[in-house]
Amino acid sequence: MTVQVKDMVFDKVAIGPVSTRIYQGAEYGKGSPIVLYFHGGAFQSSGLQDNAVAESIARAGAIVVVADYNAPFGGVFPKPLEVGYSLFSYMANKRASGLGDRNSALLVAGEEAGANIAASVAFKARDHYADALDGQVLISPLVDPFMGSKSIREADAIGMRERWAQGWSHYLSGGGCHPYAAPCLCSRISGVAPALIFTAGDDPLRDETLGFADRLKQAGVAVRQHVSPAGTGWPSIYGGVTDKPPGWHDCITNEFGSFVRDMRRQPVPLKT
């Protein structure tokens, strides 16, 4: 499916204007899901850039809004989350952005550090705006500031261990470690929106991703998880070094499409 791309400034968001890049599958239409997407970059990247994951989701017929969430106030917690939640609240208010319609599901999504923001927005939505969020899509979420998993030891091989360590230091430099900043440390995780969670066999974030998925499931959250085999170039999603050509695009498109169809059939449980 062809994807249309355009840049737009949301100038009526409570925290101030936010620049976005919007990906629309050419066959989007009435009731197309809307996805508020947070890019990766180890909590330190800003600016609008092409995003292959967002494009893959749009190919499933979604309208994907990639937010430049670090630009307004920087990348230190809680500012990125404040921007993300403000954007979510704006888009949930009868689709004030002009995207989609009242039949459109609203989801949050992201990769790596952006998946951290998406998960945290989902927590905050549960606490303050529970009925507005229909789902969350977390792609290799960076959720453990202690970087203590077994698989994270593989991060040196793809050139990401130091970058992630620096990213966490930057993100938490405001002091303290609030559960919204590190979702894996949150003690109250029940009641959040259904989740689609991705990782891969050669993803150094694999263990913390699957660990977070297990905690969600144990708390009664509907979770659909997908582990791509090693060799699909998965680390390229968040800038890791890999000698394999990216082969994950269709997987994300297909799994997202299936996830949305399952959501629409609820209360039938999602696959776990």
Side-chain angles (χ1 to χ4, degrees), residues 148-162:
S149 71
K150 183 177 180 180
S151 67
I152 201 72
R153 300 171 190 170
E154 303 164 15
D156 281 326
I158 64 167
M160 293 301 294
R161 187 179 182 89
E162 184 176 356

Side-chain angles (χ1 to χ4, degrees), residues 46-101:
S46 62
L48 296 176
Q49 303 177 8
D50 291 338
N51 190 294
V53 178
E55 185 173 351
S56 296
I57 293 173
R59 284 201 183 99
I63 302 169
V64 185
V65 179
V66 181
D68 190 8
Y69 62 95
N70 280 333
F73 304 124
V76 176
F77 180 83
K79 296 303 184 182
L81 175 57
E82 291 174 356
V83 174
Y85 184 75
S86 187
L87 270 167
F88 160 73
S89 300
Y90 168 71
M91 295 173 66
N93 183 17
K94 296 182 179 179
R95 309 301 185 251
S97 62
L99 303 174
D101 55 49

Side-chain angles (χ1 to χ4, degrees), residues 37-39 52 60 77 98 101 117 134 136 173 196 217 234 246 249:
Y37 193 92
F38 302 100
H39 62 76
F77 180 83
D101 55 49
I117 304 299
D134 297 296
Q136 54 181 315
S173 60
L196 170 61
K217 286 187 281 188
W234 190 264
H249 302 82

